[in-house]
């Protein structure tokens, strides 16, 4: 899950639901949220870079969850 909120938001709700229903046993779940730190005023693009919430970090997180290194190609 990816959200522009902090820890305890939508990702936590999804994890709780999956855990409660037994579905977490078969799911690779990674939550991505804003870090608990002050992010300086800048363009949205740069703020997402600092927060690691842009496309390259999302892809890196998804591939890591699948056990694929960023340098490998998915066919």
């Amino acid at each position: 899950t990816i959200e522009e909120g902090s820890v305890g938001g939508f990702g936590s709700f999804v994890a709780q639901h999956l855990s409660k229903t037994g579905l977490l046993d078969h799911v690779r779940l990674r939550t991505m949220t804003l870090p608990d730190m002050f992010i300086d005023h800048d363009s949205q693009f740069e703020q997402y870079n600092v927060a690691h919430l842009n496309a390259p970090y999302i892809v890196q997180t998804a591939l890591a969850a699948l056990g694929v290194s960023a340098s490998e190609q998915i066919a």
Side-chain angles (χ1 to χ4, degrees):
T1 63
I2 304 163
E3 58 189 295
E4 295 174 336
S6 61
V7 174
F10 179 71
S12 295
F13 180 79
V14 170
Q16 177 67 26
H17 172 74
L18 293 175
S19 174
K20 222 174 163 182
T21 57
L23 297 172
L24 192 57
D25 301 339
H26 309 288
V27 174
R28 295 178 187 186
L29 175 69
R30 304 297 183 271
T31 58
M32 298 179 74
T33 61
L34 288 171
D36 189 16
M37 61 180 257
F38 181 79
I39 298 176
D40 289 325
H41 180 75
D42 208 331
S43 69
Q44 186 177 24
F45 180 81
E46 286 305 319
Q47 288 179 321
Y48 283 171
N49 279 338
V50 171
H52 293 184
L53 289 178
N54 60 9
Y57 290 108
I58 294 168
V59 169
Q60 180 181 355
T61 300
L63 291 176
L66 296 172
V68 178
S69 72
S71 62
E72 293 181 46
Q73 297 277 335
I74 296 180

